[in-house]
Amino acid sequence: MNPAFLPPEKSEVISRLSKPVLHGAMGPRSGGTITPEEAQKLWMITEPSSDRRMLYLHIPFCVSRCLFCSFYQNRTKVNELNGYTDYLLREMAMMAGRPAVGGTFNTVYFGGGTPTDLSAADLGRLIKAVRNLVHLSDDVEFTVEGRLLGFDDEKVQACLDAGANRFSFGVQTFNTARRQLMGRRLPREKVIERLCRIKELGGDQACTVIDLIYGLPGQSLEEWLEDIRTVHEDTPLDGVDLYRLKMLPDTPLTKKMGKVPWSDLEQIERQAEGGKYLRDAGWDRLSVTHWGRGGLERNRYNHQTKIGVDTVPFGCGAGGGIGGYSFMQMMELASYQNQLEQGHKPIGMVRPRMPNPLKDRVADQMERCFFKPVDFDVPCDSLIQNWTEAGVWEPDEEGICWLTELGQFSQPRLAMMLTGYLAKGGDGAE
């Protein structure tokens, strides 16, 4: 195989750049131990560090575990969900009037786990509680993430009536056999039917997006392109995210297979072919992995998490960062509930975080597939030449360096390397 976008002599470059960058690897950390008592005080007085603010609510329940997922916490039990909602509401009420929830929030995200496992009534009262707790911008992106399984019309309408305006589903693939292999229950026909119905209910009020994964065991290039064709032709979706399979530690799939079944070169080809299909079909590229059509999808939450925007966390296992600190809430459900019963914010860990505006500026551009050297007061001629020869970007007539397919595939590691290069003033070009 010799894709036109990647000459075979670039195999060494692929090997160096294809290694995944772990969460948190792109930013500096500060050490130091913070006691539980200090953590409580910090949470009550810490103020966000910028005008852009996000709120994240975590729902740590799933009806089953997908083989590739590393976020699984608890199996869904209907009798526990209502009680968990009560605890979340208690946690939010505790924070009313505190500096952390002051100002205007432009993004809210219900993640998990599976938020859509909640009842219609609980979804409605949580969304309304958020709107009562914080001031939301007029153009807020308010996302409810989840599964199509069990997300019936009543739940959809409850979310819409309460004020949600974006739905995100981890479809991963439309292929029924592949879905069942990965732990998903609905067949292709039901997935398409449900997506169409949710978009019908939401209309222009709500954006509907899905995730697709390339690199699944047994998945061919033809099957991958059929998934993308299905999004474009058989659904009215506003957005789609194209992700490569990551073999994360301690997931059932990693324990079973050990490594991704496709080579780096094959994965780059899949990413390139998927992007080419969407581009030719008129979709807009919003980031390295995100695509939209029609203007409703903005990809705000995903983009802002990459550029250091403050995130206020709520829920068991939720994480975020406010001002100069990163907060991780207790992962164990009983401990989370016990802390709330004692009137404490259920913080499991606090770590000082050092602001890194340079990293955030680099990520802002690289997430959108380019680097504009004139925006950085650092000589970059050697870097530009070396990386052009390496095949990871191509400068245009205005000097903007656009990531190639190899560069897009390797973007997280490239952004980390580029940040380090610029921080050193351009010395020691990669």
Side-chain angles (χ1 to χ4, degrees):
M1 179 172 54
N2 181 18
F5 54 81
L6 188 65
E9 61 267 21
K10 297 294 187 279
S11 58
E12 182 180 348
V13 178
I14 297 172
S15 178
R16 288 179 59 198
L17 298 179
S18 61
K19 297 180 178 63
V21 174
L22 300 178
H23 266 322
M26 289 179 60
R29 298 179 178 180
S30 292
T33 300
I34 296 176
T35 67
E37 293 76 15
E38 291 172 330
Q40 292 296 318
K41 293 177 181 178
L42 283 171
W43 176 256
M44 292 301 180
I45 65 173
T46 299
E47 298 186 23
S49 56
S50 70
D51 292 335
R52 287 186 293 186
R53 302 170 187 184
M54 304 194 295
L55 187 147
Y56 176 79
L57 274 82
H58 193 68
I59 312 297
F61 299 94
C62 296
V63 293
S64 61
R65 181 174 186 176
C66 298
L67 297 187
F68 52 81
C69 182
S70 63
F71 299 107
Y72 180 84
Q73 287 179 254
N74 308 284
R75 184 174 295 278
T76 295
K77 296 179 181 178
V78 175
N79 62 328
E80 290 184 357
L81 291 176
N82 182 265
Y84 180 75
T85 299
D86 291 337
Y87 278 105
L88 261 180
L89 293 171
R90 181 186 300 192
E91 184 183 353
M92 284 192 279
M94 180 190 303
M95 289 308 301
R98 297 294 180 178
V101 296
T104 299
F105 287 72
N106 71 356
T107 308
V108 179
Y109 198 92
F110 277 34
T114 314
T116 52
D117 279 356
L118 295 171
S119 69
D122 284 347
L123 284 165
R125 62 187 182 132
L126 280 174
I127 294 170
K128 292 174 182 176
V130 169
R131 289 187 168 273
N132 289 331
L133 175 68
V134 300
H135 180 262
L136 301 179
S137 65
D138 292 338
D139 67 340
V140 66
E141 178 188 272
F142 201 125
T143 302
V144 176
E145 178 188 64
R147 287 191 181 194
L148 295 167
L149 179 69
F151 194 46
D152 58 26
D153 287 5
E154 182 185 9
K155 291 185 181 183
V156 176
Q157 198 61 55
C159 292
L160 294 170
D161 292 344
N165 60 16
R166 186 174 183 268
F167 297 113
S168 178
F169 303 105
V171 169
Q172 319 311 359
T173 178
F174 288 95
N175 184 282
T176 299
R178 204 75 55 229
R179 287 177 56 77
Q180 292 174 347
L181 180 65
M182 292 296 105
R184 312 314 293 259
R185 298 183 182 181
L186 291 182
R188 170 188 171 86
E189 295 76 16
K190 290 293 183 181
V191 171
I192 295 173
E193 176 186 309
R194 196 71 209 126
L195 288 172
C196 291
R197 176 56 178 164
I198 292 170
K199 183 57 188 171
E200 178 185 357
L201 290 171
D204 293 335
Q205 174 186 346
C207 171
T208 305
V209 304
I210 68 168
D211 298 343
L212 292 178
I213 291 180
Y214 60 91
L216 297 172
Q219 184 187 51
S220 65
L221 174 59
E222 292 72 26
E223 184 182 311
W224 167 241
L225 292 177
E226 174 61 18
D227 278 344
I228 297 174
R229 185 208 64 77
T230 299
V231 169
H232 178 65
E233 296 185 7
D234 298 339
T235 77
L237 289 170
D238 302 290
V240 60
D241 309 332
L242 310 184
Y243 294 120
R244 62 166 163 157
L245 176 66
K246 294 183 180 179
M247 305 295 280
L248 299 172
D250 298 324
T251 63
L253 190 62
T254 298
K255 292 176 181 178
K256 180 179 180 180
M257 299 190 62
K259 64 178 182 178
V260 176
W262 291 0
S263 69
D264 292 332
L265 191 58
E266 288 174 315
Q267 291 181 75
I268 294 171
E269 180 187 46
R270 267 62 171 182
Q271 175 183 274
E273 292 294 336
K276 181 178 184 302
Y277 184 103
L278 292 172
R279 185 170 55 250
D280 291 347
W283 289 63
D284 299 316
R285 187 165 211 159
L286 305 177
S287 78
V288 171
T289 54
H290 298 76
W291 297 78
R293 62 177 171 182
L296 277 183
E297 168 63 330
R298 292 169 291 177
N299 185 43
R300 183 181 287 168
Y301 174 78
N302 292 288
H303 186 72
Q304 290 187 168
T305 56
K306 304 290 179 61
I307 60 173
V309 173
D310 285 322
T311 303
V312 181
F314 289 94
C316 177
I322 310 169
Y325 298 93
S326 295
F327 294 89
M328 177 60 68
Q329 306 226 131
M330 291 180 171
M331 298 286 292
E332 205 273 321
L333 198 57
S335 298
Y336 167 81
Q337 295 170 343
N338 179 262
Q339 285 295 298
L340 286 172
E341 289 169 358
Q342 296 181 44
H344 299 153
K345 178 72 174 173
I347 301 170
M349 180 181 70
V350 181
R351 187 179 70 219
R353 64 172 187 170
M354 295 173 59
N356 193 336
L358 176 61
K359 176 187 77 71
D360 296 340
R361 289 171 59 205
V362 170
D364 186 34
Q365 292 191 0
M366 293 287 276
E367 273 291 311
R368 292 179 286 154
C369 302
F370 73 89
F371 170 61
K372 191 175 180 181
V374 296
D375 290 345
F376 300 84
D377 189 22
V378 174
C380 298
D381 290 346
S382 296
L383 178 81
I384 293 171
Q385 178 180 347
N386 288 351
W387 282 18
T388 300
E389 292 175 357
V392 299
W393 63 28
E394 295 176 355
D396 64 15
E397 295 179 354
E398 298 179 358
I400 300 175
C401 301
W402 294 93
L403 295 179
T404 62
E405 301 297 347
L406 171 59
Q408 292 163 25
F409 182 77
S410 312
Q411 181 267 341
R413 185 161 296 277
L414 289 174
M416 181 177 67
M417 296 165 66
L418 180 56
T419 299
Y421 175 92
L422 296 173
K424 293 187 293 186
D427 295 331
E430 295 289 343

